[in-house]
Amino acid sequence: MVQPSELEIAGDEGYIIRSVFFDNRPVTIIAANKSKGVLYGIFHFFRLIQNRQAIDKLSIQSKPRIQKRLLNHWDNLNGSVERGYAGKSIWNWEKLPVEVDPRYKDYARVNASIGINGTVLNNVNSQAEILTKGYISKAAAIASVLRPYGIQIYFSIKFISPMEIGGLSTADPFDPHVRRWWKEKAQQIYQQIPDFGGFLVKAYSEGQPGPQIYGRTHADGANMLAEALSPYGGIVMWRSFVYDLSIDSDRTKCGYLEFVPLDGQFATNVLIQSKNGPVDFQPREPINPLFGAMPKTPIMMELQITQEYTGQSNHLVYLAPQWKEVLDSDTFSKGPGTLVAEIVDGSAENHTLSGIAGVSGIGTDRNWMGHHFSQANWYAFGRLAWDPAFTSGQIAEEWIRMTWSNDPKTIGVIAKMMAGSWEACVDYMTPLGLHHLMAAGHHYGPGPDYVNPGRADWSSTYYHKADSQGIGFDRSSKGTNGVGQYAEPLRRLWDSPVTCPEKYLLWFHHLPWTHQMSSGKTLWQELRLHYKRGVEAVGIMQKTWDSLEGRIDQQRFDHVKARLEMQLENAREWRDVCLEYFGRFAESPNSGHDR
Ligand code: GCV
């Protein structure tokens, strides 16, 4: 029926599902090497049933391409969630470990059903208290609920914890007392949580301390933690989200400049966790130049499920197409066909360790994510983490069938809305490579005129550089040479406004308003068209949704309808504010453009 040799390639998490006859009766076999594989196989089988697929002639073999498939909670110990838009943190630290919310089990099941096998419980802007005895016991209670579902827990740690909670006078990674402190801490954690996953670290970034305080490098810091965790099989996920403008005045270049020279210096249980793009989860970014640039180090990709910059829990934006654009991008780092997905799954550079993380959008809201459609992003993250080759359409259809309906009209309508929703958001927020145009104090509405008095790179004007001469950030070889961080031929193609894809045009080039686009229109005309198109797309989504009234339950229908109204209003605001502001330059007497 299933030979042991067939299971060899299934590994620890893979499975085989097969229809056979046993004693003249049809049976379905779900076989795996480990219980986790059986668990995933059963969820696959359920998915087929929920998707109304035939289950009488099954011959399925599946295993995950990426080893560590994690959610990252940006949950604070006081119950708030940084960039969370769905209520409070689901981790009720006050009541733990005595009271264990039954929702943790639901959480575990949801995650296991999409193959997620790890979760970082607390914010990367970490508090040292997570490593105190009390919190370790609380976390151990969560771990015991997640364990049967194959989910390991991890902590975000604060680099100077030995000082803040350990009474040491330094956190220097070369100090023997500090090293011992971390080793003892690891031992303490593993005593209570034997399958603890490891540490996630944000170091020397946005106010978080790091080894640089002591003149040490990221590798020195990461390796110290790796040494403490390695006896237990734990890993360190060290983030590359750093942008110290004293290293380079172009923020997009900083991560590469700090990390690439360290390639080869990290311990074998360290991964470098890098955001998909070089800025910060903007509606669209070109790939992070670190993918493919550190062949000796496993690079873990960080995606953002919570919609910090894409309308939060008010906008319907299905992010799988964005993630697919990144995963399917060719880095050319080892010649043509070296896709980001192959860097991330470790196959391009022969790494045994591989990982992907999604910044969670989960909160205490009844529907978990604030917007019913945001759940699609959680689902899509899990599915793409399992296999980056799945298409966004295929994932959307599975999710629609399981969440909304198996009625063909309903599926078709919702699938269409989802498919175009990300591009619509890019159009009404930041088309043609524009980025980071938000108003002060939040990452929601438009503020192209915003200038941060403290930091240039927290200002919108730093990114778009609009003036009467033109618009865009010149990262070409004549500008900051940000393009120089990519492999050929990307470097050459993106260096010229003629060959640079228009979706990245203003990311890499500062161009006159009269620049001619491939459509024959001027840049200013094209920009206006994109903003207009984005708003129109939301209007169409709204009408499309209305056509479903009566086909789905009223409660969820009304929820989405109300949010689409808000989305349309917000999209109009983005269009009007941005075009009014840019128009001041584009239509000024010396822009060269007709009014
Ligand atoms: C957790 C952005 C967000 C911050 C976040 C940071 C990070 O700057 O706005 O809230 O901090 O990214 O990823 O560390």
Side-chain angles (χ1 to χ4, degrees):
M1 288 194 254
V2 174
Q3 300 306 319
S5 60
E6 292 180 79
L7 279 170
E8 261 166 37
I9 56 160
D12 285 353
E13 299 188 307
Y15 52 84
I16 288 175
I17 308 178
R18 187 170 295 165
S19 306
V20 294
F21 275 88
F22 185 71
D23 267 357
N24 283 331
R25 280 204 312 257
V27 294
T28 304
I29 292 181
I30 300 178
N33 292 313
K34 297 265 168 76
S35 56
K36 222 168 160 187
V38 176
L39 178 78
Y40 293 144
I42 288 172
F43 276 121
H44 188 140
F45 187 63
F46 286 167
R47 187 163 54 241
L48 294 175
I49 295 171
Q50 285 182 293
N51 275 249
R52 306 265 167 94
Q53 303 296 302
I55 50 166
D56 55 341
K57 291 192 186 69
L58 297 176
S59 176
I60 294 167
Q61 206 168 306
S62 185
K63 69 170 179 177
R65 267 176 60 185
I66 301 174
Q67 208 186 336
K68 309 282 178 189
R69 306 177 298 282
L70 267 62
L71 288 186
N72 284 185
H73 285 260
W74 285 355
D75 295 18
N76 298 310
L77 303 183
N78 68 4
S80 61
V81 182
E82 183 157 347
R83 312 303 175 191
Y85 313 102
K88 307 281 274 179
S89 168
I90 56 166
W91 314 126
N92 195 331
W93 295 110
E94 265 178 39
K95 294 190 173 152
L96 283 162
V98 178
E99 270 182 51
V100 179
D101 191 327
R103 251 197 144 181
Y104 302 160
K105 190 165 169 185
D106 298 337
Y107 169 90
R109 292 178 62 222
V110 176
N111 279 313
S113 77
I114 53 174
I116 285 169
N117 64 7
T119 186
V120 182
L121 298 179
N122 61 316
N123 192 355
V124 286
N125 291 327
S126 177
Q127 290 167 266
E129 286 71 26
I130 191 72
L131 294 176
T132 54
K133 259 188 170 166
Y135 274 96
I136 296 171
S137 304
K138 290 168 191 281
I142 300 176
S144 60
V145 180
L146 307 192
R147 187 168 298 119
Y149 294 91
I151 299 167
Q152 290 177 278
I153 66 158
Y154 298 75
F155 291 152
S156 290
I157 59 102
K158 188 167 186 176
F159 197 76
I160 55 168
S161 299
M163 296 165 75
E164 290 196 356
I165 56 164
L168 300 189
S169 58
T170 175
D172 183 349
F174 285 2
D175 183 288
H177 299 101
V178 173
R179 294 182 95 83
R180 195 171 66 225
W181 189 87
W182 282 108
K183 282 185 182 160
E184 286 171 3
K185 190 48 75 182
Q187 191 187 27
Q188 212 177 82
I189 296 171
Y190 280 93
Q191 260 162 13
Q192 289 206 58
I193 312 169
D195 57 346
F196 181 73
F199 295 147
L200 171 62
V201 195
K202 173 174 177 176
Y204 221 50
S205 167
E206 296 186 337
Q208 288 297 305
Q212 291 77 359
I213 302 174
Y214 309 99
R216 314 297 183 201
T217 68
H218 290 291
D220 298 330
N223 292 347
M224 168 190 65
L225 300 172
E227 184 185 52
L229 294 167
S230 92
Y232 314 96
I235 58 164
V236 175
M237 298 160 290
W238 191 273
R239 295 173 92 228
S240 69
F241 180 67
V242 291
Y243 55 102
D244 174 354
L245 294 197
S246 69
I247 291 179
D248 196 286
S249 61
D250 178 357
R251 171 172 167 175
T252 62
K253 292 171 66 187
C254 297
Y256 180 104
L257 291 172
E258 276 198 48
F259 278 86
V260 170
L262 300 175
D263 191 26
Q265 295 182 29
F266 291 96
T268 50
N269 55 337
V270 176
L271 298 110
I272 298 305
Q273 182 166 314
S274 298
K275 293 189 182 184
N276 56 281
V279 172
D280 187 14
F281 301 134
Q282 295 304 293
R284 170 178 265 140
E285 298 191 28
I287 56 170
N288 193 321
L290 276 171
F291 293 114
M294 294 183 67
K296 296 185 189 133
T297 315
I299 306 285
M300 181 163 176
M301 178 146 77
E302 182 176 308
L303 299 168
Q304 198 180 43
I305 303 170
T306 193
Q307 292 172 232
E308 177 178 356
Y309 295 98
T310 51
Q312 301 175 2
S313 56
N314 292 327
H315 294 198
L316 191 167
V317 182
Y318 175 50
L319 290 170
Q322 184 202 57
W323 301 337
K324 282 294 288 179
E325 181 170 286
V326 180
L327 289 162
D328 292 347
S329 291
D330 198 342
T331 64
F332 292 91
S333 58
K334 297 188 98 187
T338 321
L339 305 189
V340 170
E342 290 158 353
I343 303 288
V344 175
D345 74 12
S347 60
E349 292 156 349
N350 294 319
H351 294 300
T352 43
L353 196 54
S354 61
I356 188 163
V359 179
S360 150
I362 295 160
T364 47
D365 278 11
R366 283 281 289 176
N367 67 9
W368 297 99
M369 306 281 290
H371 195 309
H372 281 295
F373 273 86
S374 300
Q375 294 176 4
N377 295 329
W378 182 4
Y379 182 80
F381 170 75
R383 298 293 285 139
L384 288 173
W386 186 272
D387 189 346
F390 292 145
T391 68
S392 56
Q394 173 187 356
I395 295 170
E397 184 174 335
E398 287 173 6
W399 178 78
I400 297 164
R401 284 175 176 273
M402 291 189 287
T403 308
W404 296 100
S405 168
N406 270 294
D407 160 48
K409 173 169 176 198
T410 310
I411 297 168
V413 165
I414 299 182
K416 200 159 159 241
M417 281 172 73
M418 288 170 71
S421 60
W422 168 55
E423 205 67 66
C425 172
V426 173
D427 274 341
Y428 65 70
M429 285 188 181
T430 50
L432 298 175
L434 288 173
H435 47 293
H436 216 289
L437 299 183
M438 311 81 54
H442 57 70
H443 289 165
Y444 188 72
D449 60 347
Y450 176 56
V451 179
N452 184 298
R455 277 196 75 138
D457 61 324
W458 288 353
S459 310
S460 301
T461 50
Y462 166 91
Y463 294 96
H464 63 68
K465 302 198 189 300
D467 56 22
S468 61
Q469 302 307 301
I471 182 171
F473 199 129
D474 187 359
R475 298 189 172 108
S476 74
S477 52
K478 297 191 192 77
T480 66
N481 200 26
V483 284
Q485 294 185 337
Y486 294 92
E488 287 294 8
L490 294 182
R491 187 183 302 170
R492 177 173 44 81
L493 293 172
W494 294 356
D495 195 31
S496 155
V498 179
T499 47
C500 179
E502 288 187 348
K503 61 186 177 184
Y504 303 142
L505 196 62
L506 302 178
W507 187 283
F508 289 113
H509 298 279
H510 186 82
L511 296 169
W513 298 102
T514 51
H515 172 82
Q516 196 181 338
M517 304 293 288
S518 60
S519 61
K521 295 188 168 47
T522 66
L523 171 58
W524 175 229
Q525 287 167 338
E526 188 80 24
L527 199 62
R528 284 195 315 223
L529 200 72
H530 277 267
Y531 274 108
K532 189 165 160 274
R533 204 169 73 183
V535 174
E536 280 167 5
V538 181
I540 294 169
M541 276 160 70
Q542 214 180 22
K543 287 206 184 69
T544 314
W545 183 254
D546 286 348
S547 75
L548 290 179
E549 185 153 22
R551 286 182 180 262
I552 52 182
D553 60 280
Q554 199 63 36
Q555 196 184 7
R556 288 189 299 168
F557 177 81
D558 291 342
H559 164 104
V560 175
K561 187 177 165 69
R563 275 172 170 69
L564 281 168
E565 268 162 32
M566 201 185 309
Q567 183 170 359
L568 184 61
E569 209 175 289
N570 294 165
R572 285 188 183 131
E573 190 190 349
W574 269 96
R575 177 198 62 195
D576 295 345
V577 170
C578 291
L579 291 183
E580 187 281 321
Y581 175 81
F582 294 136
R584 292 184 215 165
F585 305 105
E587 297 181 358
S588 68
N590 47 356
S591 72
H593 204 291
D594 301 338
R595 281 169 177 245

